[in-house]
Amino acid sequence: MVESVNMNNILNKIFSLKMNFNNLGHKYLFLASLISFFAGLFCYVFSALLFPDILTIRLGFWYFVPFILTLAVYFFVGIMLHKYFPGFAKILAFLLNFFIIAILQIFISCGNFFVISILYDDKAYADYNNYPKALSSIRTSSMIKHFPSSLPPNAKNPGLFKSSNGFFGSEEIFLSFESDNEYIQNELKKYKYIKTEGPYENEKQYSNNPIHYLATSKLNLKKTNFKFYTIEDNTTIKSNFETEYGIAINTKTNTILYYYASLD
């Protein structure tokens, strides 16, 4: 009987206002929500300034998820639970809001910022006017050193394709244009090649190399008469992906094709 009375006293102390948490009332919950809101707003504006894109608007919602959670804590814990267990509700509200703001808010903000920054750079490009942006967005810069920094003055009929799959592991960028024979020969002399293939006489000959087929297909180039000079591939790079980069030449049309692809 005595033990039962003592247990009741302990529970009454836990679930009562006698635990000196009177300062953790509605003002505290409102302040927690306010802090979370302005933290999310700051991250949203900062991301929008660095990455001005519709993508930021769509993913920026995640910055405000902790704020929504603090409102849920205010409603379900600060109001509903507080009616029955006021002391316990205040302690729980403090712990939950501390976790949301001090841990979850930082984790979500950093993670969302990272995803936005990756996806912002990982765009698909098909307009050669965006060539500098496309080239700088490739993560493995060592495999695009053979690409020109800009198109030569006499370049004609330029074509560009850059995929948007880098976030998932694969990358492709292809650049082609017509130029004079002197430029093409000078480009070929700059590098050492581990192998050459072609000139291909028909489309069926591309069946053994999907990267060569992909490069010409994405740029809408005729597949005949292209000879591929491979600088490196997955046998020398020791990659788990189907990887290759190099230069292809069509001597019939004086077309030069720079290619790099890493297919997962």
Side-chain angles (χ1 to χ4, degrees), residues 50-53 117-141 144 147-151 160-164 171-175:
L50 284 180
F51 314 111
D53 192 85
S117 65
I118 291 295
L119 294 180
Y120 180 79
D121 287 333
D122 190 32
K123 291 181 180 179
Y125 293 96
D127 185 351
Y128 72 90
N129 290 315
N130 292 321
Y131 174 61
K133 291 181 180 179
L135 197 63
S136 63
S137 67
I138 296 294
R139 295 171 300 160
T140 49
S141 59
I144 54 172
F147 277 72
S149 57
S150 61
L151 274 64
L160 171 70
F161 174 81
K162 188 264 175 184
S163 69
S164 60
E171 286 185 314
E172 303 109 48
I173 183 170
F174 311 121
L175 173 72

Side-chain angles (χ1 to χ4, degrees), residues 20-234:
N20 296 323
F21 283 97
N22 294 323
N23 60 325
L24 300 178
H26 294 301
K27 291 182 179 180
Y28 160 74
L29 296 177
F30 173 77
L31 180 62
S33 297
L34 201 63
I35 292 173
S36 182
F37 173 78
F38 280 107
L41 182 63
F42 172 81
C43 292
Y44 180 84
V45 172
F46 185 70
S47 296
L49 292 175
L50 284 180
F51 314 111
D53 192 85
I54 188 67
L55 174 73
T56 306
I57 297 176
R58 293 173 179 172
L59 295 180
F61 162 78
W62 288 97
Y63 288 126
F64 296 98
V65 169
F67 166 67
I68 296 173
L69 292 177
T70 61
L71 294 180
V73 170
Y74 176 80
F75 179 77
F76 290 105
V77 179
I79 296 178
M80 299 187 67
L81 188 62
H82 186 270
K83 295 179 181 179
Y84 307 100
F85 307 107
F88 174 71
K90 291 178 179 181
I91 297 173
L92 182 62
F94 171 80
L95 294 176
L96 288 175
N97 279 321
F98 178 82
F99 171 77
I100 291 171
I101 296 174
I103 300 176
L104 193 62
Q105 183 108 36
I106 296 175
F107 178 79
I108 290 179
S109 297
C110 293
N112 199 43
F113 183 84
F114 175 76
V115 171
I116 290 175
S117 65
I118 291 295
L119 294 180
Y120 180 79
D121 287 333
D122 190 32
K123 291 181 180 179
Y125 293 96
D127 185 351
Y128 72 90
N129 290 315
N130 292 321
Y131 174 61
K133 291 181 180 179
L135 197 63
S136 63
S137 67
I138 296 294
R139 295 171 300 160
T140 49
S141 59
S142 61
M143 299 185 186
I144 54 172
K145 289 182 178 179
H146 62 297
F147 277 72
S149 57
S150 61
L151 274 64
N154 62 347
K156 298 178 182 179
N157 300 322
L160 171 70
F161 174 81
K162 188 264 175 184
S163 69
S164 60
N165 300 322
F167 187 74
F168 301 99
S170 62
E171 286 185 314
E172 303 109 48
I173 183 170
F174 311 121
L175 173 72
S176 70
F177 53 85
E178 296 175 14
S179 187
D180 56 67
N181 185 63
E182 182 181 359
Y183 174 86
I184 292 175
Q185 294 305 317
N186 287 336
E187 286 295 286
L188 288 176
K189 292 176 182 178
K190 289 181 180 179
Y191 311 100
K192 293 181 179 180
Y193 307 100
I194 61 171
K195 63 180 179 180
T196 61
E197 293 184 27
Y200 293 125
E201 297 178 358
N202 53 62
E203 189 171 330
K204 291 182 180 180
Q205 293 180 330
Y206 284 81
S207 59
N208 294 327
N209 196 309
I211 291 179
H212 295 178
Y213 183 87
L214 186 66
T216 53
S217 296
K218 291 297 184 181
L219 295 175
N220 296 316
L221 298 172
K222 291 184 178 180
K223 293 181 169 50
T224 55
N225 300 314
F226 267 104
K227 184 175 183 178
F228 285 79
Y229 298 79
T230 304
I231 298 175
E232 281 195 284
D233 60 15
N234 53 296

